[in-house]
């Protein structure tokens, strides 16, 4: 925290105005992996960055590495061409020098050093080759970027390696690396039996080193994400956002069996997965099956944040790392897009009486909703509620479960629309319980009413008082604000009371 918590309540003052945070506002990183070469340019609130630019080329540098000991020749050509392009793009964006790392394929290949020299000579980019434990640390830091309080075992699968790292209390603990990457395993002798035996032997050894007391696995890497997308497809899950997607071991085990039987080309087309990625799924599925069997987690979570985000996290000052990524992103969105930046804080205070007994997790969502309540005002009024819902559920926001995304979306939908009947998002509402839907609706209608006092600090005009046991909602109007409480405001206040199942009472202060 930055020492100004009293002014901003339990969430602290936003740090994106701090010079040390703004220095991170546009950062370019390049990740040269065994399967893909990618450049990401992060932009926006430093603690929860937006992807200003994101491009990936599936080069397959690690293809055939086990047999030849060399980087794949065509992959080398494609990777060099991709990096040349990335350097020109970075120059056009006037970025600070790119930070570039290479992982298993380049570090294991006999021609890895020559490839690095070629990259430096042709592009001027210094390619840092990191070892497996460092790769595990950076990937685990990427998970922490999205989940500051994450606790569990990070499992990062690349084309030529698999890394594991303990995460607890915001720190990265023990780390190990292995050769359980699909590209590396593809050349293994002995057919299916040989593959199964090698996976079992290696995973069992990893478990001996890391222990099996990890309640949650955090899956990092494109092959895991492809499997998670197939899990969604099998289940008919409506929200196809991979980050923070949760699976039970039982459900995932059913999907892994399903993968062995299903027509992968057919599901590849349905899910929009690339052919190169889907080709790695069968072997990756075998590795994941063994991980689940040996480590016995209670839950599996997908992280879209990995080594690239870990490289950004590496550059953050410690106080910034401790901030809530969701709230920081919402602060930034409000400042950039709201009609009245700063009103979200006032609205949160105005609605405070409704949430006196709320738990921190709910209060956090209320805060986020208040900050975002007006950022979509430029959308057409007839569709503003849809834009709000879509932004909340699909946006690149860290620190949100899928249930929390939909809760936030429903609340923001009701900020602009009284009813959600007949909504095209209806199947997504099923992710919430009826009780949570009702709470989100009440929050949305509370914001819808509170926005009627957006001329200034609402507390200078009126106060809410909520008596949950009596189911009574009181509005105390200051005398000078009586004329603000017009017909629309009266209707919105009654709608809020109805959502709370309460009797509405209006009193005027002298």
């Amino acid at each position: 925290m930055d020492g100004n918590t009293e002014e901003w309540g339990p969430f602290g003052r936003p740090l994106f105005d701090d010079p040390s945070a703004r220095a991170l506002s546009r950062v370019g990183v390049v990740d040269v992996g065994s399967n893909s070469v990618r450049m990401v340019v992060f932009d926006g609130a430093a603690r929860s960055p937006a992807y200003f630019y994101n491009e990936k080329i599936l080069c397959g540098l690690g293809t055939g590495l086990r047999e030849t000991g060399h980087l794949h020749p065509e992959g080398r050509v494609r990777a060099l061409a991709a990096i040349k392009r990335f350097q020109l793009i970075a120059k056009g964006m006037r970025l600070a020098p790119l930070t570039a790392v290479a992982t298993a394929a380049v570090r294991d290949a006999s021609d890895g050093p020559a490839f690095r020299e070629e990259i430096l000579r042709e592009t001027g980019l210094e390619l840092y080759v990191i070892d497996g434990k460092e790769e595990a640390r950076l990937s685990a830091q990427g998970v922490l970027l999205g989940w500051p309080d994450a606790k569990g075992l990070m499992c990062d699968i690349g084309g030529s390696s698999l890394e594991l790292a303990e995460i607890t209390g915001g720190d990265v603990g023990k780390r190990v690396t292995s050769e359980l990457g699909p590209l590396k395993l593809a050349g293994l002798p002995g057919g299916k039996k040989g593959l199964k035996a090698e996976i079992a032997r290696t995973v069992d050894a990893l478990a001996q080193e890391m222990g099996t007391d990890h309640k949650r696995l955090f899956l990092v890497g494109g092959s895991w994400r492809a499997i998670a997308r197939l899990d969604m497809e099998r289940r008919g899950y409506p929200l196809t956002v991979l980050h923070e997607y949760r699976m039970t071991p039982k459900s995932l085990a059913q999907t892994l069996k399903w993968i062995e039987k299903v027509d992968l080309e057919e599901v590849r087309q349905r899910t929009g997965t690339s052919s190169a990625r889907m080709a790695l799924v069968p072997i990756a599925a075998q590795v994941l099956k063994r991980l689940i069997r040996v480590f016995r987690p209670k839950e599996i979570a997908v992280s879209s944040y990995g080594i690239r985000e870990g490289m950004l996290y590496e550059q953050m000052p410690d106080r910034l790392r401790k901030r809530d990524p969701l709230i920081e992103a919402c602060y930034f969105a409000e400042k950039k897009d709201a009609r009245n930046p700063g009103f979200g804080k006032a609205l949160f205070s105005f609605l405070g009486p409704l949430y006196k007994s709320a738990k921190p997790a709910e209060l956090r969502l209320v805060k986020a909703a208040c900050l975002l309540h007006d950022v979509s005002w430029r959308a057409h009024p007839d569709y503003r509620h849809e834009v709000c819902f879509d932004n909340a559920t699909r946006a690149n926001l860290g620190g949100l479960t899928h249930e929390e995304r939909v809760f936030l979306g429903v609340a923001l939908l009701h900020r602009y629309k009284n009813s959600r009947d007949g909504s095209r998002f209806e199947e997504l509402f099923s992710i919430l319980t009826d009780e949570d839907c009702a709470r989100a609706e009440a929050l949305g209608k509370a914001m819808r009413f509170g926005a009627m006092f957006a001329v200034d600090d609402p507390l200078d005009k009126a106060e809410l008082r909520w008596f949950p046991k009596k189911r009574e909602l009181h509005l105390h109007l200051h005398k000078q604000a009586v004329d603000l409480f017009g017909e629309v405001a009266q209707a919105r206040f009654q709608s809020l009371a109805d959502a709370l199942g309460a009797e509405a009472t209006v009193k005027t202060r002298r």
Side-chain angles (χ1 to χ4, degrees), residues 323-338:
R323 302 303 295 270
D324 186 325
L326 171 63
I327 299 303
E328 290 298 311
C330 293
Y331 275 133
F332 183 79
E334 185 198 38
K335 182 170 184 179
K336 183 170 68 75
D337 294 325

Side-chain angles (χ1 to χ4, degrees), residues 148-226:
D149 299 321
K151 183 176 182 180
L153 186 69
M154 187 285 306
C155 308
D156 180 9
I157 193 166
S160 298
S161 66
L162 171 76
E163 281 73 40
L164 305 180
E166 286 182 339
I167 306 174
T168 183
D171 293 320
V172 181
K174 283 193 298 185
R175 297 158 282 148
V176 293
T177 185
S178 72
E179 295 188 347
L180 291 181
L183 289 175
K184 205 71 169 285
L185 292 172
L188 198 69
K192 290 184 179 180
K193 286 186 178 179
L195 174 66
K196 188 175 181 180
E198 176 64 14
I199 291 172
R201 182 192 66 77
T202 306
V203 171
D204 291 351
L206 293 174
Q208 285 290 323
E209 192 164 353
M210 298 297 292
T212 56
D213 187 23
H214 308 283
K215 294 182 179 179
R216 180 179 295 157
L217 299 185
F218 294 95
L219 301 184
V220 175
S223 294
W224 293 155
R225 290 194 296 273

